[in-house]
mmCIF file of all heavy atoms in Angstrom:
data_model
loop_
_atom_site.group_PDB
_atom_site.id
_atom_site.type_symbol
_atom_site.label_atom_id
_atom_site.label_comp_id
_atom_site.label_asym_id
_atom_site.label_seq_id
_atom_site.Cartn_x
_atom_site.Cartn_y
_atom_site.Cartn_z
ATOM 1 N N MET A 65 37.805 115.040 11.615
ATOM 2 C CA MET A 65 39.036 114.971 10.833
ATOM 3 C C MET A 65 39.261 113.553 10.308
ATOM 4 O O MET A 65 38.823 112.577 10.889
ATOM 5 C CB MET A 65 40.236 115.385 11.695
ATOM 6 C CG MET A 65 40.222 116.846 12.056
ATOM 7 S SD MET A 65 41.747 117.295 12.930
ATOM 8 C CE MET A 65 41.397 119.015 13.242
ATOM 9 N N THR A 66 39.959 113.476 9.248
ATOM 10 C CA THR A 66 40.236 112.188 8.639
ATOM 11 C C THR A 66 41.326 111.469 9.408
ATOM 12 O O THR A 66 42.333 112.040 9.750
ATOM 13 C CB THR A 66 40.712 112.366 7.182
ATOM 14 O OG1 THR A 66 39.755 113.151 6.501
ATOM 15 C CG2 THR A 66 40.861 111.026 6.504
ATOM 16 N N SER A 67 41.122 110.174 9.685
ATOM 17 C CA SER A 67 42.130 109.401 10.404
ATOM 18 C C SER A 67 43.165 108.874 9.443
ATOM 19 O O SER A 67 42.981 108.872 8.232
ATOM 20 C CB SER A 67 41.467 108.223 11.138
ATOM 21 O OG SER A 67 40.987 107.285 10.196
ATOM 22 N N LEU A 68 44.277 108.374 10.001
ATOM 23 C CA LEU A 68 45.332 107.816 9.153
ATOM 24 C C LEU A 68 44.830 106.600 8.394
ATOM 25 O O LEU A 68 45.267 106.331 7.289
ATOM 26 C CB LEU A 68 46.540 107.442 10.005
ATOM 27 C CG LEU A 68 47.400 108.605 10.484
ATOM 28 C CD1 LEU A 68 48.513 108.089 11.374
ATOM 29 C CD2 LEU A 68 47.972 109.355 9.308
ATOM 30 N N ALA A 69 43.936 105.837 9.011
ATOM 31 C CA ALA A 69 43.405 104.674 8.311
ATOM 32 C C ALA A 69 42.655 105.085 7.050
ATOM 33 O O ALA A 69 42.707 104.415 6.022
ATOM 34 C CB ALA A 69 42.483 103.886 9.242
ATOM 35 N N GLU A 70 41.952 106.217 7.137
ATOM 36 C CA GLU A 70 41.196 106.694 5.989
ATOM 37 C C GLU A 70 42.083 107.310 4.933
ATOM 38 O O GLU A 70 41.655 107.534 3.816
ATOM 39 C CB GLU A 70 40.164 107.711 6.467
ATOM 40 C CG GLU A 70 39.100 107.078 7.354
ATOM 41 C CD GLU A 70 38.224 108.140 8.010
ATOM 42 O OE1 GLU A 70 38.692 109.280 8.164
ATOM 43 O OE2 GLU A 70 37.086 107.809 8.356
ATOM 44 N N HIS A 71 43.339 107.583 5.280
ATOM 45 C CA HIS A 71 44.269 108.163 4.313
ATOM 46 C C HIS A 71 44.726 107.140 3.286
ATOM 47 O O HIS A 71 45.216 107.481 2.238
ATOM 48 C CB HIS A 71 45.505 108.704 5.044
ATOM 49 C CG HIS A 71 45.210 109.937 5.827
ATOM 50 N ND1 HIS A 71 46.060 110.420 6.787
ATOM 51 C CD2 HIS A 71 44.149 110.778 5.803
ATOM 52 C CE1 HIS A 71 45.544 111.511 7.317
ATOM 53 N NE2 HIS A 71 44.391 111.740 6.734
ATOM 54 N N GLU A 72 44.641 105.853 3.616
ATOM 55 C CA GLU A 72 45.157 104.835 2.716
ATOM 56 C C GLU A 72 44.293 104.722 1.457
ATOM 57 O O GLU A 72 43.100 104.995 1.458
ATOM 58 C CB GLU A 72 45.190 103.478 3.409
ATOM 59 C CG GLU A 72 46.132 103.428 4.582
ATOM 60 C CD GLU A 72 46.223 102.029 5.134
ATOM 61 O OE1 GLU A 72 46.880 101.202 4.507
ATOM 62 O OE2 GLU A 72 45.599 101.764 6.161
ATOM 63 N N LEU A 73 44.890 104.292 0.400
ATOM 64 C CA LEU A 73 44.120 104.042 -0.808
ATOM 65 C C LEU A 73 43.210 102.855 -0.596
ATOM 66 O O LEU A 73 43.651 101.763 -0.262
ATOM 67 C CB LEU A 73 45.073 103.740 -1.977
ATOM 68 C CG LEU A 73 45.867 104.930 -2.511
ATOM 69 C CD1 LEU A 73 46.772 104.466 -3.624
ATOM 70 C CD2 LEU A 73 44.949 106.021 -2.987
ATOM 71 N N THR A 74 41.926 103.056 -0.778
ATOM 72 C CA THR A 74 40.982 101.975 -0.546
ATOM 73 C C THR A 74 41.047 100.923 -1.637
ATOM 74 O O THR A 74 40.564 99.817 -1.475
ATOM 75 C CB THR A 74 39.552 102.555 -0.488
ATOM 76 O OG1 THR A 74 39.303 103.287 -1.700
ATOM 77 C CG2 THR A 74 39.428 103.529 0.682
ATOM 78 N N THR A 75 41.650 101.250 -2.758
ATOM 79 C CA THR A 75 41.731 100.298 -3.860
ATOM 80 C C THR A 75 42.892 99.322 -3.714
ATOM 81 O O THR A 75 42.990 98.360 -4.451
ATOM 82 C CB THR A 75 41.904 101.045 -5.191
ATOM 83 O OG1 THR A 75 43.069 101.866 -5.106
ATOM 84 C CG2 THR A 75 40.703 101.934 -5.460
ATOM 85 N N ARG A 76 43.797 99.558 -2.740
ATOM 86 C CA ARG A 76 44.929 98.663 -2.582
ATOM 87 C C ARG A 76 44.499 97.408 -1.834
ATOM 88 O O ARG A 76 43.750 97.477 -0.868
ATOM 89 C CB ARG A 76 46.062 99.356 -1.808
ATOM 90 C CG ARG A 76 46.765 100.425 -2.608
ATOM 91 C CD ARG A 76 47.893 101.016 -1.774
ATOM 92 N NE ARG A 76 48.580 102.065 -2.512
ATOM 93 C CZ ARG A 76 49.668 101.879 -3.238
ATOM 94 N NH1 ARG A 76 50.195 100.683 -3.323
ATOM 95 N NH2 ARG A 76 50.236 102.884 -3.885
ATOM 96 N N PRO A 77 44.996 96.246 -2.230
ATOM 97 C CA PRO A 77 44.696 95.037 -1.493
ATOM 98 C C PRO A 77 45.427 95.034 -0.159
ATOM 99 O O PRO A 77 46.367 95.775 0.059
ATOM 100 C CB PRO A 77 45.242 93.927 -2.406
ATOM 101 C CG PRO A 77 46.332 94.596 -3.173
ATOM 102 C CD PRO A 77 45.885 96.001 -3.373
ATOM 103 N N ALA A 78 44.980 94.158 0.747
ATOM 104 C CA ALA A 78 45.659 94.026 2.030
ATOM 105 C C ALA A 78 47.094 93.588 1.795
ATOM 106 O O ALA A 78 47.372 92.706 1.003
ATOM 107 C CB ALA A 78 44.923 92.996 2.896
ATOM 108 N N ARG A 79 47.987 94.223 2.538
ATOM 109 C CA ARG A 79 49.401 93.959 2.330
ATOM 110 C C ARG A 79 49.895 92.955 3.351
ATOM 111 O O ARG A 79 49.425 92.873 4.463
ATOM 112 C CB ARG A 79 50.199 95.266 2.418
ATOM 113 C CG ARG A 79 49.952 96.165 1.227
ATOM 114 C CD ARG A 79 50.627 97.512 1.438
ATOM 115 N NE ARG A 79 50.485 98.324 0.233
ATOM 116 C CZ ARG A 79 51.432 98.459 -0.678
ATOM 117 N NH1 ARG A 79 52.574 97.845 -0.555
ATOM 118 N NH2 ARG A 79 51.232 99.212 -1.737
ATOM 119 N N SER A 80 50.898 92.228 2.969
ATOM 120 C CA SER A 80 51.456 91.191 3.815
ATOM 121 C C SER A 80 52.527 91.787 4.715
ATOM 122 O O SER A 80 52.933 92.924 4.591
ATOM 123 C CB SER A 80 52.058 90.094 2.950
ATOM 124 O OG SER A 80 53.131 90.626 2.197
ATOM 125 N N THR A 81 52.999 90.953 5.643
ATOM 126 C CA THR A 81 54.088 91.369 6.500
ATOM 127 C C THR A 81 55.327 91.681 5.686
ATOM 128 O O THR A 81 56.104 92.572 6.028
ATOM 129 C CB THR A 81 54.382 90.261 7.529
ATOM 130 O OG1 THR A 81 53.207 89.996 8.288
ATOM 131 C CG2 THR A 81 55.495 90.683 8.467
ATOM 132 N N LYS A 82 55.534 90.966 4.577
ATOM 133 C CA LYS A 82 56.671 91.240 3.699
ATOM 134 C C LYS A 82 56.616 92.678 3.197
ATOM 135 O O LYS A 82 57.652 93.357 3.110
ATOM 136 C CB LYS A 82 56.668 90.269 2.524
ATOM 137 C CG LYS A 82 57.840 90.463 1.569
ATOM 138 C CD LYS A 82 57.795 89.437 0.450
ATOM 139 C CE LYS A 82 58.969 89.663 -0.523
ATOM 140 N NZ LYS A 82 58.936 88.674 -1.638
ATOM 141 N N ALA A 83 55.431 93.167 2.870
ATOM 142 C CA ALA A 83 55.297 94.547 2.404
ATOM 143 C C ALA A 83 55.612 95.530 3.526
ATOM 144 O O ALA A 83 56.157 96.605 3.288
ATOM 145 C CB ALA A 83 53.880 94.790 1.875
ATOM 146 N N GLN A 84 55.268 95.160 4.763
ATOM 147 C CA GLN A 84 55.612 96.020 5.891
ATOM 148 C C GLN A 84 57.129 96.212 5.972
ATOM 149 O O GLN A 84 57.621 97.335 6.172
ATOM 150 C CB GLN A 84 55.120 95.415 7.203
ATOM 151 C CG GLN A 84 53.603 95.474 7.391
ATOM 152 C CD GLN A 84 53.197 94.810 8.681
ATOM 153 O OE1 GLN A 84 53.474 93.640 8.903
ATOM 154 N NE2 GLN A 84 52.544 95.566 9.545
ATOM 155 N N TRP A 85 57.863 95.148 5.797
ATOM 156 C CA TRP A 85 59.324 95.238 5.899
ATOM 157 C C TRP A 85 59.919 95.939 4.684
ATOM 158 O O TRP A 85 61.006 96.525 4.778
ATOM 159 C CB TRP A 85 59.918 93.849 6.094
ATOM 160 C CG TRP A 85 59.503 93.283 7.418
ATOM 161 C CD1 TRP A 85 58.554 92.327 7.634
ATOM 162 C CD2 TRP A 85 59.964 93.678 8.712
ATOM 163 N NE1 TRP A 85 58.402 92.103 8.977
ATOM 164 C CE2 TRP A 85 59.259 92.913 9.674
ATOM 165 C CE3 TRP A 85 60.911 94.606 9.156
ATOM 166 C CZ2 TRP A 85 59.466 93.054 11.033
ATOM 167 C CZ3 TRP A 85 61.122 94.734 10.521
ATOM 168 C CH2 TRP A 85 60.408 93.963 11.442
ATOM 169 N N SER A 86 59.221 95.913 3.569
ATOM 170 C CA SER A 86 59.676 96.706 2.421
ATOM 171 C C SER A 86 59.582 98.196 2.724
ATOM 172 O O SER A 86 60.466 98.976 2.370
ATOM 173 C CB SER A 86 58.829 96.375 1.183
ATOM 174 O OG SER A 86 58.990 95.022 0.798
ATOM 175 N N VAL A 87 58.495 98.583 3.399
ATOM 176 C CA VAL A 87 58.360 99.973 3.823
ATOM 177 C C VAL A 87 59.480 100.333 4.786
ATOM 178 O O VAL A 87 60.078 101.418 4.703
ATOM 179 C CB VAL A 87 56.978 100.201 4.486
ATOM 180 C CG1 VAL A 87 56.912 101.586 5.121
ATOM 181 C CG2 VAL A 87 55.865 100.027 3.465
ATOM 182 N N LEU A 88 59.808 99.414 5.691
ATOM 183 C CA LEU A 88 60.869 99.685 6.656
ATOM 184 C C LEU A 88 62.203 99.933 5.965
ATOM 185 O O LEU A 88 62.969 100.818 6.366
ATOM 186 C CB LEU A 88 60.994 98.510 7.635
ATOM 187 C CG LEU A 88 62.106 98.647 8.678
ATOM 188 C CD1 LEU A 88 61.881 99.866 9.558
ATOM 189 C CD2 LEU A 88 62.207 97.383 9.522
ATOM 190 N N VAL A 89 62.507 99.165 4.932
ATOM 191 C CA VAL A 89 63.770 99.359 4.211
ATOM 192 C C VAL A 89 63.844 100.763 3.631
ATOM 193 O O VAL A 89 64.881 101.436 3.721
ATOM 194 C CB VAL A 89 63.913 98.299 3.099
ATOM 195 C CG1 VAL A 89 65.099 98.641 2.185
ATOM 196 C CG2 VAL A 89 64.107 96.916 3.694
ATOM 197 N N ILE A 90 62.756 101.219 3.058
ATOM 198 C CA ILE A 90 62.740 102.536 2.418
ATOM 199 C C ILE A 90 62.923 103.646 3.441
ATOM 200 O O ILE A 90 63.757 104.548 3.284
ATOM 201 C CB ILE A 90 61.427 102.730 1.629
ATOM 202 C CG1 ILE A 90 61.309 101.671 0.517
ATOM 203 C CG2 ILE A 90 61.378 104.137 1.037
ATOM 204 C CD1 ILE A 90 62.484 101.614 -0.415
ATOM 205 N N ILE A 91 62.148 103.608 4.516
ATOM 206 C CA ILE A 91 62.239 104.686 5.489
ATOM 207 C C ILE A 91 63.544 104.594 6.292
ATOM 208 O O ILE A 91 64.056 105.612 6.765
ATOM 209 C CB ILE A 91 61.008 104.711 6.428
ATOM 210 C CG1 ILE A 91 60.862 103.413 7.213
ATOM 211 C CG2 ILE A 91 59.759 105.008 5.637
ATOM 212 C CD1 ILE A 91 59.657 103.418 8.164
ATOM 213 N N ALA A 92 64.102 103.383 6.419
ATOM 214 C CA ALA A 92 65.396 103.251 7.083
ATOM 215 C C ALA A 92 66.500 103.908 6.254
ATOM 216 O O ALA A 92 67.405 104.544 6.804
ATOM 217 C CB ALA A 92 65.725 101.773 7.321
ATOM 218 N N CYS A 93 66.429 103.762 4.938
ATOM 219 C CA CYS A 93 67.407 104.419 4.068
ATOM 220 C C CYS A 93 67.293 105.938 4.171
ATOM 221 O O CYS A 93 68.305 106.652 4.166
ATOM 222 C CB CYS A 93 67.221 103.963 2.625
ATOM 223 S SG CYS A 93 67.738 102.263 2.304
ATOM 224 N N ALA A 94 66.056 106.437 4.262
ATOM 225 C CA ALA A 94 65.857 107.885 4.415
ATOM 226 C C ALA A 94 66.458 108.364 5.737
ATOM 227 O O ALA A 94 67.138 109.399 5.789
ATOM 228 C CB ALA A 94 64.364 108.219 4.354
ATOM 229 N N GLN A 95 66.222 107.610 6.805
ATOM 230 C CA GLN A 95 66.784 107.982 8.099
ATOM 231 C C GLN A 95 68.302 107.899 8.079
ATOM 232 O O GLN A 95 68.990 108.710 8.714
ATOM 233 C CB GLN A 95 66.217 107.064 9.193
ATOM 234 C CG GLN A 95 66.779 107.303 10.582
ATOM 235 C CD GLN A 95 66.387 108.655 11.145
ATOM 236 O OE1 GLN A 95 65.507 109.335 10.613
ATOM 237 N NE2 GLN A 95 67.029 109.045 12.231
ATOM 238 N N LEU A 96 68.839 106.940 7.346
ATOM 239 C CA LEU A 96 70.294 106.783 7.270
ATOM 240 C C LEU A 96 70.957 108.036 6.703
ATOM 241 O O LEU A 96 72.022 108.453 7.166
ATOM 242 C CB LEU A 96 70.644 105.565 6.421
ATOM 243 C CG LEU A 96 72.132 105.262 6.249
ATOM 244 C CD1 LEU A 96 72.773 104.972 7.600
ATOM 245 C CD2 LEU A 96 72.339 104.097 5.292
ATOM 246 N N MET A 97 70.344 108.642 5.685
ATOM 247 C CA MET A 97 70.911 109.871 5.122
ATOM 248 C C MET A 97 71.041 110.948 6.189
ATOM 249 O O MET A 97 72.078 111.623 6.293
ATOM 250 C CB MET A 97 70.030 110.401 3.980
ATOM 251 C CG MET A 97 70.108 109.633 2.691
ATOM 252 S SD MET A 97 69.423 110.602 1.315
ATOM 253 C CE MET A 97 67.827 111.053 1.942
#
């Protein structure tokens, strides 16, 4: 089976910690609803 790591787009560059927190903002807003 395909792992979560393999699910990522291979064409995307490595993301910074700042991008991690951007993801957190989005999913936190979804949870807030």
Side-chain angles (χ1 to χ4, degrees):
M65 292 186 182
T66 307
S67 68
L68 285 177
E70 294 170 335
H71 288 165
E72 296 186 75
L73 288 179
T74 56
T75 57
R76 288 182 181 266
R79 289 173 175 261
S80 63
T81 302
K82 181 178 179 181
Q84 288 178 302
W85 294 104
S86 297
V87 171
L88 178 61
V89 170
I90 299 306
I91 60 179
C93 288
Q95 177 66 13
L96 180 62
M97 286 196 307

